[in-house]
Amino acid sequence: MNLIARRDPGRQSLRTPLEVDAQLLELLNTKGADPDFWSSKERDRSDSVHCIFQYPAMMVPIVQRRLLGAVLEARPDIQSVYDPFLGSGTSLVSGMHFGLNTYGNDINPLAVLISRVRTARSVEFTIGAIGDVVAKKAEADRRETIETSMPNREKWFQADVSIDLSRLRRAIRKCESLWVRRFLWVTLAETIRLTSNDRTSTYKLHARPAAETAKRKLSPITVFRDLARENAASFSTFRRRLTEAKQIKSSKYVAETDVRIGDTRKALDYWGDAAPFDLLMTSPPYGDNLTTVTYGQHSYLPLHWIDFKDIDPAADSAALRTTQEIDRRSLGGVSSDSVWTEDALLEASPRLKRFADGLPAKPEDGRSRLLRFYRDFGASLDSITGVMKSNSYMIWTVGNRNIAGQQVPTDLVLSDLVEGLNCKVVTTLTRRIHHKRMPDRNASSATMREEKILLVRKCEA
Ligand SMILES: C[S@@+](CC[C@H](N)C(=O)[O-])C[C@H]1O[C@@H](n2cnc3c(N)ncnc32)[C@H](O)[C@@H]1O
């Protein structure tokens, strides 16, 4: 039987995985006795300002840190955390508070850019002043050349806004440090979100009515300068907290951070050198992007103004071929060539089968969308379980979405699927959502007011 060595300065105790499960259950249940403990009514301000771009469906950092704290208490030997659906990198940032090696990937280049900025080992402390200088350079630039060749630009940007964004883009390109440019690209992305003609109330691209657009008085350079100052201030708070937690030495984060662009279904192909990982912490998409959260559409306009080579040499600009391309490439997006056939999937999850069988005939594509998503999700689980160590824990935060007015039991389907892959669900916690930004009120996803947190252990082969 595998025994887990516990780093204990006083005495070395060796415990079985079942004993560790029991300790974790006790820790989580004691803490969870307060119904709002996992719900985090109070927001941690220094973390929330640190979000730098309004990426959809961000996890709540204080909850992630509480979960990590509990798992690390039971397993102090854990040294790395992995997030296969990284989004804006919240789980890795939480891992940095504990000095963990942090690894993550996402299929969306904007998510990778934001996460690389947030998790950098070294940062430039004068970034606020640099933001001011870049804004000044943009103001002094009198050229009117437009620095993007995106289709339908006039639909999405007023003429003056395009000129200002082009001036900012030219000024950012002149900065020497890659991290500085990345920070400023993220700031530009948020500037674009606020100054384009796209409505900010939904994640789907949806232009404001022309009459409304004509009335808006916008100054992207001013917006950019203010955001750069805010982002710089929140960054210095974050780095100060890491320093207080003794996770910064000689101005550098003490452990490794590695963010890659990539499809989780192929994670085994590109994490071979860094895996296996000790702990997983993630919140996966709840369904196909198009009918849940359109991460790709939300990123489409900003990405057209950012130098892809600064995100990653492997970032593929064909991801901007259409407004829907990133969403199509994401889980459940296009006809799946997943190794998981429909039959294998429904056999692996009786609860998914029951749900799918009970779906009404309309909308006609409800069932096929659902199963396409889960076939892709199954392929991701194959890869994920392949890059995790034996007896590693996985913390999955999942929301339940609606299809045809019926709530998909996402947590139960995940339980079925991981149990079929030699994993054990140790416990499931419920958290009420107080703060999370929701997708469109009218989308078929409806709103998600509750999330489940599954603690899973990968068993020995
Ligand atoms: C719920 S979000 C993650 C939110 C993140 N935990 C946070 O706190 O910001 C899900 C992420 O999964 C990504 N995604 C979807 N399909 C993917 C795939 N096949 N491979 C990797 N990432 C994928 C989306 O781009 C999105 O960023």
Side-chain angles (χ1 to χ4, degrees):
M1 177 176 295
N2 180 296
L3 297 171
I4 291 165
R6 179 169 180 192
R7 270 194 270 120
D8 180 336
R11 99 198 125 90
Q12 274 275 337
S13 70
L14 293 172
R15 296 166 310 146
T16 65
L18 283 178
E19 286 168 339
V20 181
D21 287 355
Q23 186 193 356
L24 256 171
L25 261 178
E26 199 183 313
L27 276 169
L28 295 174
N29 287 336
T30 318
K31 294 184 196 298
D34 167 5
D36 268 325
F37 188 78
W38 304 116
S39 307
S40 69
K41 262 194 166 145
E42 323 87 49
R43 232 193 207 304
D44 181 334
R45 294 200 62 78
S46 64
D47 271 331
S48 56
V49 287
H50 181 47
C51 66
I52 67 177
F53 177 83
Q54 279 277 3
Y55 196 78
M58 287 206 327
M59 290 197 280
V60 182
I62 195 167
V63 175
Q64 301 307 314
R65 285 217 303 280
R66 284 174 180 168
L67 287 161
L68 269 180
V71 175
L72 289 171
E73 196 175 327
R75 285 284 306 271
D77 58 312
I78 288 174
Q79 295 192 2
S80 61
V81 62
Y82 169 54
D83 188 341
F85 301 104
L86 191 55
S88 54
T90 316
S91 45
L92 300 197
V93 167
S94 301
M96 290 175 81
H97 285 272
F98 295 91
L100 296 177
N101 292 322
T102 58
Y103 303 95
N105 61 272
D106 202 288
I107 205 161
N108 182 346
L110 188 60
V112 170
L113 175 69
I114 299 166
S115 300
R116 284 194 162 164
V117 170
R118 294 178 79 190
T119 62
R121 291 189 71 199
S122 309
V123 303
E124 173 55 62
F125 291 104
T126 58
I127 187 67
I130 296 176
D132 273 358
V133 171
V134 165
K136 276 207 187 86
K137 274 192 187 148
E139 263 162 3
D141 183 347
R142 303 320 310 153
R143 283 164 62 190
E144 304 215 336
T145 326
I146 301 299
E147 300 286 343
T148 180
S149 52
M150 69 174 290
N152 283 328
R153 178 176 48 81
E154 292 80 5
K155 173 177 175 185
W156 298 112
F157 296 95
Q158 293 181 41
D160 289 357
V161 169
S162 283
I163 290 173
D164 266 13
L165 294 176
S166 300
R167 290 171 176 168
L168 284 166
R169 190 174 190 187
R170 283 194 289 273
I172 294 172
R173 278 179 171 156
K174 291 201 180 106
C175 298
E176 261 175 40
S177 145
L178 179 59
W179 183 82
V180 165
R181 288 201 303 279
R182 283 180 175 159
F183 178 98
L184 298 173
W185 289 133
V186 175
T187 306
L188 186 72
E190 183 66 0
T191 306
I192 288 163
R193 196 182 71 79
L194 297 172
T195 60
S196 75
N197 298 339
D198 183 27
R199 296 193 312 196
T200 48
S201 55
T202 65
Y203 294 131
K204 275 201 178 114
L205 279 169
H206 196 149
R208 293 166 194 262
E212 184 187 322
T213 302
K215 278 196 224 136
R216 292 176 86 208
K217 294 273 165 285
L218 298 164
S219 169
I221 297 178
T222 311
V223 172
F224 175 89
R225 195 199 47 223
D226 294 348
L227 284 171
R229 284 178 186 170
E230 270 174 41
N231 286 349
S234 69
F235 231 92
S236 66
T237 307
F238 168 56
R239 297 296 286 199
R240 197 169 56 244
R241 293 186 75 181
L242 287 187
T243 307
E244 282 160 12
K246 303 213 177 347
Q247 309 302 3
I248 304 264
K249 285 208 181 103
S250 312
S251 308
K252 236 180 168 181
Y253 176 60
V254 288
E256 201 173 305
T257 64
D258 191 345
V259 167
R260 299 188 188 181
I261 189 152
D263 187 332
T264 298
R265 286 165 287 189
K266 302 198 174 99
L268 281 165
D269 296 351
Y270 55 87
W271 280 118
D273 51 336
F277 304 120
D278 293 341
L279 172 70
L280 173 138
M281 186 153 75
T282 195
S283 84
Y286 305 123
D288 64 289
N289 289 11
L290 215 61
T291 58
T292 55
V293 181
T294 50
Y295 299 97
Q297 284 191 44
H298 190 62
S299 312
Y300 176 83
L301 297 179
L303 282 173
H304 266 291
W305 294 88
I306 293 171
D307 283 1
F308 260 51
K309 66 171 177 23
D310 276 355
I311 299 177
D312 190 295
D316 170 18
S317 54
L320 299 182
R321 208 172 49 86
T322 67
T323 55
Q324 307 207 342
E325 183 61 18
I326 294 175
D327 294 321
R328 270 168 40 84
R329 292 180 182 197
S330 302
L331 293 191
V334 275
S335 286
S336 179
D337 59 354
S338 167
V339 288
W340 283 62
T341 61
E342 205 169 295
D343 288 347
L345 173 70
L346 295 175
E347 199 184 316
S349 178
R351 291 183 276 200
L352 178 63
K353 180 170 182 343
R354 207 169 310 139
F355 179 80
D357 288 348
L359 276 176
K362 298 242 158 137
E364 278 143 28
D365 65 347
R367 181 187 163 92
S368 57
R369 269 182 188 283
L370 175 80
L371 299 186
R372 194 163 70 217
F373 171 75
Y374 275 110
R375 287 177 61 203
D376 282 353
F377 190 59
S380 305
L381 287 177
D382 283 339
S383 298
I384 290 168
T385 47
V387 295
M388 299 303 298
K389 276 189 188 151
S390 275
N391 289 316
S392 59
Y393 286 98
M394 308 185 204
I395 304 169
W396 291 88
T397 302
V398 295
N400 286 329
R401 62 164 305 210
N402 283 356
I403 286 194
Q406 300 190 25
Q407 198 174 75
V408 186
T410 316
D411 53 323
L412 304 179
V413 177
L414 175 62
S415 301
D416 284 348
L417 296 180
V418 290
E419 277 171 356
L421 291 169
N422 195 31
C423 297
K424 174 185 165 190
V425 178
V426 179
T427 188
T428 300
L429 308 164
T430 299
R431 87 170 209 91
R432 272 178 255 154
I433 301 179
H434 294 291
H435 300 296
K436 193 174 259 188
R437 204 170 170 234
M438 294 302 170
D440 313 6
R441 244 167 297 149
N442 301 322
S444 64
S445 54
T447 51
M448 290 164 263
R449 280 183 224 92
E450 206 177 80
E451 280 177 340
K452 300 283 183 193
I453 301 167
L454 276 74
L455 179 71
V456 175
R457 178 165 56 79
K458 175 179 165 178
C459 303
E460 281 164 81

